[in-house]
Amino acid sequence: IEEKKHEKTLTKSSTMSEELTGGYGLVPFIHQAKTSKGKLVVGVINQALSAQNVYVFGELLAMPNVQQLAETEDKYTLDLLKIFAYGQYRDYKELSTKGTPLTANQEKKLKQLTIVSLAGVSKVIPYSVLLQQLEISELRELEDLIIDAISLGVITAQLDQEKGRLEVESTMGRDLKPEAMENILVTLTNFTNQAEVLLRGIQEKIDHANTMQKEEVRRKEDFDKKVENMKANVKVMGSGADMADFDPMDIHGEDRNRKGRKKGGGFSGNIMKSFGFGGAVDHASIHSQFGHNVHGRLDKDKRK
């Protein structure tokens, strides 16, 4: 039962994380920003930073009228939006002296986004690291922040109070810094090149295996043909055919100088040729297999 509850919790949290990563909550603010300029754009950005269901800001940040704030007195708001898109809480602390402080909801959101970034480095985060990075003095406040992040689907994690750490299973996705895209492209290119080398190596092994298989099939076919030829000659020998020309001494490779007889010819020679033996052969082995039967037939013929 506990495992099923855990699975349902993970599924629900995963769905919520996908919704946050998809940026569906940002859509209304993008529509507002399209028709806004100057201070109106600043107002839209601040609303988006405070919205509970908005945790990605890449599309809003990329809009031309938002980027134009870089040349105005409202550059602080643009820099703040960049921090919410891909920065951390410590980045805000360096910037905070230049503009209006964050609201309580905005600060809470930025700290939760910072946990997401820290989880990208390590899935097990000690409380001591979180307390330092988020500038929180009370453990209870930290745990409340984490529990809220879990309930919103920002992270899927467990609090290990005994060991004093946060164990993260998964997180929502954050926006990437522009320079990070280049690093990702280099990484993907290297991966693609390595994959191509690996695939070529696999293909070469497949081709070699296919060649060996064909060679083995050819050898088996040749062997089967020799076996069939041997069976046919054994049947002929068993029926007494060609026995008049058979000389048992031919098995030992001795030429009896009979008239019209050539060494390696006759019945035994034909058997040797049918098995592919063109040169010297192991006549003793052949003799052990067929000699007894042949001599028996010759003795019978002499008695007749």
Coordinates of all heavy atoms in Angstrom, one line a residue, residues 250-296:
D250 N 46.2 -52.3 -52.8 CA 46.1 -50.9 -53.2 C 45.9 -50.0 -51.9 O 46.2 -48.8 -51.9 CB 45.0 -50.7 -54.2 CG 45.5 -51.1 -55.6 OD1 46.7 -51.3 -55.8 OD2 44.6 -51.2 -56.5
I251 N 45.3 -50.6 -50.9 CA 45.0 -49.8 -49.7 C 46.3 -49.3 -49.1 O 46.3 -48.3 -48.5 CB 44.2 -50.7 -48.7 CG1 42.8 -51.0 -49.3 CG2 44.0 -50.0 -47.4 CD1 42.0 -51.9 -48.5
H252 N 47.4 -50.2 -49.2 CA 48.6 -49.8 -48.7 C 49.5 -49.0 -49.6 O 50.6 -48.7 -49.4 CB 49.4 -51.0 -48.2 CG 48.7 -51.8 -47.2 ND1 48.6 -51.4 -45.9 CD2 47.9 -53.0 -47.3 CE1 47.9 -52.3 -45.2 NE2 47.4 -53.2 -46.0
G253 N 48.9 -48.7 -50.8 CA 49.6 -47.9 -51.7 C 50.7 -48.6 -52.5 O 51.6 -48.0 -53.1
E254 N 50.6 -50.0 -52.6 CA 51.6 -50.8 -53.3 C 51.2 -51.1 -54.7 O 50.0 -51.5 -54.9 CB 51.9 -52.1 -52.5 CG 52.4 -51.9 -51.1 CD 52.6 -53.2 -50.4 OE1 52.5 -54.2 -51.0 OE2 52.8 -53.2 -49.1
D255 N 52.1 -51.0 -55.6 CA 51.8 -51.2 -57.0 C 52.1 -52.6 -57.3 O 53.3 -53.0 -57.2 CB 52.6 -50.3 -57.9 CG 52.1 -50.4 -59.4 OD1 51.3 -51.3 -59.6 OD2 52.7 -49.6 -60.2
R256 N 51.2 -53.5 -57.7 CA 51.4 -54.9 -57.9 C 51.8 -55.2 -59.4 O 52.0 -56.3 -59.8 CB 50.1 -55.7 -57.6 CG 49.6 -55.5 -56.2 CD 50.6 -55.8 -55.1 NE 50.9 -57.2 -55.1 CZ 51.8 -57.8 -54.4 NH1 52.6 -57.0 -53.6 NH2 52.0 -59.1 -54.4
N257 N 51.9 -54.1 -60.1 CA 52.4 -54.2 -61.5 C 51.5 -55.1 -62.3 O 52.0 -55.9 -63.2 CB 53.8 -54.6 -61.6 CG 54.8 -53.6 -61.0 OD1 54.5 -52.4 -61.2 ND2 55.8 -54.1 -60.3
R258 N 50.2 -55.1 -62.0 CA 49.3 -55.9 -62.8 C 49.1 -55.3 -64.2 O 49.1 -54.1 -64.3 CB 48.0 -56.1 -62.1 CG 48.1 -56.9 -60.8 CD 46.7 -57.1 -60.2 NE 46.9 -57.9 -59.0 CZ 45.8 -58.3 -58.3 NH1 44.6 -58.1 -58.7 NH2 46.0 -59.0 -57.2
K259 N 48.8 -56.0 -65.1 CA 48.6 -55.6 -66.5 C 47.4 -54.7 -66.5 O 46.3 -55.0 -66.1 CB 48.5 -56.7 -67.4 CG 48.4 -56.3 -68.9 CD 48.4 -57.5 -69.8 CE 48.4 -57.1 -71.2 NZ 48.3 -58.3 -72.1
G260 N 47.6 -53.4 -67.0 CA 46.5 -52.5 -67.2 C 46.1 -51.8 -65.9 O 45.2 -51.0 -66.0
R261 N 46.8 -52.1 -64.8 CA 46.5 -51.4 -63.5 C 47.4 -50.2 -63.3 O 48.6 -50.3 -63.5 CB 46.6 -52.4 -62.4 CG 46.4 -51.9 -61.0 CD 44.9 -51.6 -60.8 NE 44.2 -52.8 -61.0 CZ 44.0 -53.7 -60.0 NH1 44.6 -53.5 -58.8 NH2 43.4 -54.8 -60.2
K262 N 46.8 -49.1 -62.9 CA 47.5 -47.9 -62.5 C 47.4 -47.7 -61.0 O 46.4 -47.9 -60.5 CB 47.0 -46.7 -63.3 CG 47.3 -46.8 -64.8 CD 46.8 -45.5 -65.5 CE 47.0 -45.6 -67.0 NZ 46.6 -44.4 -67.6
K263 N 48.5 -47.3 -60.5 CA 48.5 -47.0 -59.0 C 47.5 -45.9 -58.7 O 47.5 -44.9 -59.3 CB 49.9 -46.5 -58.6 CG 50.0 -46.4 -57.1 CD 51.5 -46.0 -56.7 CE 51.6 -45.8 -55.2 NZ 53.0 -45.5 -54.9
G264 N 46.7 -46.1 -57.7 CA 45.7 -45.2 -57.3 C 44.4 -45.4 -58.1 O 43.4 -44.7 -57.8
G265 N 44.4 -46.3 -59.0 CA 43.2 -46.5 -59.8 C 42.3 -47.6 -59.2 O 42.5 -48.0 -58.1
G266 N 41.4 -48.1 -60.0 CA 40.5 -49.2 -59.5 C 39.5 -48.7 -58.5 O 39.3 -47.6 -58.3
F267 N 39.0 -49.7 -57.8 CA 37.9 -49.5 -56.9 C 38.3 -48.6 -55.7 O 37.7 -47.6 -55.3 CB 37.4 -50.8 -56.4 CG 36.3 -50.7 -55.4 CD1 35.0 -50.2 -55.8 CD2 36.5 -51.1 -54.1 CE1 34.0 -50.1 -54.9 CE2 35.5 -51.0 -53.2 CZ 34.3 -50.5 -53.6
S268 N 39.4 -49.0 -55.0 CA 39.9 -48.3 -53.8 C 40.3 -46.9 -54.2 O 40.1 -45.9 -53.4 CB 41.0 -49.1 -53.1 OG 42.1 -49.2 -54.0
G269 N 40.9 -46.8 -55.4 CA 41.4 -45.4 -55.8 C 40.2 -44.5 -56.0 O 40.2 -43.3 -55.7
N270 N 39.1 -45.1 -56.6 CA 37.9 -44.3 -56.8 C 37.3 -43.8 -55.5 O 36.8 -42.6 -55.5 CB 36.9 -45.1 -57.6 CG 37.3 -45.3 -59.0 OD1 38.1 -44.5 -59.6 ND2 36.8 -46.4 -59.6
I271 N 37.3 -44.6 -54.5 CA 36.8 -44.2 -53.2 C 37.6 -43.0 -52.7 O 37.1 -42.0 -52.1 CB 36.8 -45.4 -52.2 CG1 35.8 -46.4 -52.7 CG2 36.5 -44.9 -50.8 CD1 35.7 -47.6 -51.7
M272 N 39.0 -43.2 -52.8 CA 39.8 -42.1 -52.3 C 39.5 -40.8 -53.0 O 39.5 -39.7 -52.4 CB 41.3 -42.5 -52.5 CG 41.7 -43.7 -51.7 SD 41.4 -43.6 -49.9 CE 39.9 -44.5 -49.8
K273 N 39.4 -40.9 -54.3 CA 39.1 -39.6 -55.1 C 37.8 -39.1 -54.8 O 37.6 -37.8 -54.8 CB 39.2 -40.0 -56.6 CG 40.6 -40.3 -57.1 CD 40.7 -40.6 -58.5 CE 42.1 -40.9 -59.0 NZ 42.1 -41.3 -60.4
S274 N 36.8 -39.9 -54.5 CA 35.5 -39.4 -54.2 C 35.5 -38.6 -52.9 O 34.7 -37.8 -52.6 CB 34.5 -40.5 -54.1 OG 34.7 -41.3 -52.9
F275 N 36.5 -39.0 -52.0 CA 36.6 -38.2 -50.7 C 37.5 -37.1 -50.8 O 37.8 -36.4 -49.9 CB 37.0 -39.1 -49.6 CG 36.1 -39.3 -48.5 CD1 35.9 -40.4 -47.8 CD2 35.3 -38.2 -48.2 CE1 35.0 -40.5 -46.8 CE2 34.4 -38.3 -47.1 CZ 34.3 -39.5 -46.5
G276 N 38.1 -36.8 -52.0 CA 38.9 -35.6 -52.2 C 40.3 -35.9 -51.9 O 41.1 -34.9 -51.7
F277 N 40.8 -37.1 -51.8 CA 42.2 -37.4 -51.5 C 43.0 -37.6 -52.8 O 42.9 -38.6 -53.4 CB 42.3 -38.7 -50.6 CG 41.6 -38.6 -49.3 CD1 40.5 -39.4 -49.0 CD2 42.0 -37.7 -48.4 CE1 39.9 -39.3 -47.8 CE2 41.4 -37.6 -47.2 CZ 40.3 -38.4 -46.9
G278 N 43.7 -36.5 -53.2 CA 44.4 -36.6 -54.4 C 45.8 -37.1 -54.3 O 46.4 -37.6 -55.2
G279 N 46.4 -37.1 -53.1 CA 47.7 -37.5 -52.9 C 47.8 -38.7 -51.9 O 47.0 -39.6 -51.9
A280 N 48.9 -38.6 -51.1 CA 49.1 -39.7 -50.1 C 48.0 -39.7 -49.1 O 47.6 -38.7 -48.6 CB 50.4 -39.6 -49.5
V281 N 47.5 -40.9 -48.7 CA 46.4 -41.0 -47.8 C 46.8 -41.9 -46.7 O 47.8 -42.7 -46.8 CB 45.1 -41.4 -48.4 CG1 44.7 -40.4 -49.4 CG2 45.3 -42.8 -49.1
D282 N 46.1 -42.0 -45.6 CA 46.3 -42.9 -44.5 C 45.7 -44.2 -44.8 O 44.5 -44.5 -44.4 CB 45.7 -42.3 -43.2 CG 46.1 -43.1 -42.0 OD1 46.8 -44.1 -42.2 OD2 45.7 -42.7 -40.9
H283 N 46.4 -45.1 -45.5 CA 45.9 -46.3 -46.0 C 45.6 -47.3 -44.8 O 44.7 -48.1 -44.9 CB 46.8 -47.0 -47.0 CG 46.9 -46.2 -48.3 ND1 47.8 -45.2 -48.5 CD2 46.2 -46.3 -49.4 CE1 47.7 -44.7 -49.7 NE2 46.7 -45.3 -50.3
A284 N 46.4 -47.1 -43.8 CA 46.2 -48.0 -42.6 C 44.9 -47.8 -42.0 O 44.2 -48.8 -41.6 CB 47.3 -47.8 -41.6
S285 N 44.5 -46.5 -42.0 CA 43.1 -46.2 -41.4 C 42.0 -46.8 -42.3 O 41.1 -47.3 -41.8 CB 43.0 -44.7 -41.3 OG 41.7 -44.4 -40.8
I286 N 42.2 -46.6 -43.6 CA 41.2 -47.2 -44.6 C 41.2 -48.7 -44.4 O 40.1 -49.3 -44.4 CB 41.6 -46.8 -46.0 CG1 41.7 -45.3 -46.1 CG2 40.6 -47.4 -47.0 CD1 40.5 -44.6 -46.6
H287 N 42.4 -49.3 -44.3 CA 42.4 -50.8 -44.2 C 41.7 -51.3 -43.0 O 41.0 -52.3 -43.0 CB 43.9 -51.2 -44.2 CG 44.0 -52.7 -44.1 ND1 43.6 -53.6 -45.1 CD2 44.6 -53.5 -43.1 CE1 43.9 -54.8 -44.7 NE2 44.5 -54.8 -43.5
S288 N 41.8 -50.5 -41.9 CA 41.2 -51.0 -40.7 C 39.7 -50.9 -40.8 O 39.0 -51.7 -40.1 CB 41.6 -50.1 -39.5 OG 41.2 -48.8 -39.7
Q289 N 39.2 -50.0 -41.6 CA 37.7 -49.9 -41.8 C 37.1 -50.9 -42.8 O 36.1 -51.4 -42.6 CB 37.4 -48.5 -42.3 CG 37.8 -47.4 -41.3 CD 37.4 -46.0 -41.8 OE1 36.4 -45.8 -42.5 NE2 38.3 -45.1 -41.5
F290 N 37.9 -51.1 -43.9 CA 37.3 -52.0 -45.0 C 38.0 -53.3 -45.2 O 37.5 -54.2 -45.9 CB 37.3 -51.2 -46.3 CG 36.6 -49.9 -46.2 CD1 37.3 -48.7 -46.3 CD2 35.2 -49.9 -46.1 CE1 36.6 -47.5 -46.2 CE2 34.5 -48.6 -46.0 CZ 35.2 -47.5 -46.0
G291 N 39.2 -53.4 -44.7 CA 40.0 -54.6 -45.0 C 39.4 -55.9 -44.6 O 39.4 -56.9 -45.4
H292 N 38.8 -56.0 -43.4 CA 38.2 -57.2 -43.0 C 37.1 -57.7 -43.9 O 37.0 -58.9 -44.3 CB 37.7 -57.0 -41.6 CG 37.0 -58.3 -41.0 ND1 37.7 -59.4 -40.6 CD2 35.7 -58.6 -40.8 CE1 36.9 -60.3 -40.2 NE2 35.6 -59.8 -40.3
N293 N 36.3 -56.8 -44.3 CA 35.1 -57.2 -45.2 C 35.6 -57.6 -46.6 O 35.2 -58.5 -47.2 CB 34.2 -56.0 -45.3 CG 33.0 -56.3 -46.1 OD1 32.4 -57.4 -46.0 ND2 32.6 -55.4 -47.0
V294 N 36.7 -56.9 -47.1 CA 37.2 -57.2 -48.4 C 37.8 -58.5 -48.4 O 37.6 -59.3 -49.3 CB 38.2 -56.1 -48.8 CG1 38.9 -56.5 -50.1 CG2 37.4 -54.8 -49.0
H295 N 38.7 -58.8 -47.5 CA 39.4 -60.1 -47.4 C 38.4 -61.2 -47.3 O 38.6 -62.3 -47.9 CB 40.4 -60.1 -46.3 CG 41.7 -59.3 -46.6 ND1 42.6 -59.7 -47.6 CD2 42.1 -58.2 -46.1 CE1 43.5 -58.9 -47.6 NE2 43.3 -57.9 -46.7
G296 N 37.4 -61.0 -46.6 CA 36.3 -62.1 -46.4 C 35.7 -62.4 -47.8 O 35.5 -63.6 -48.1

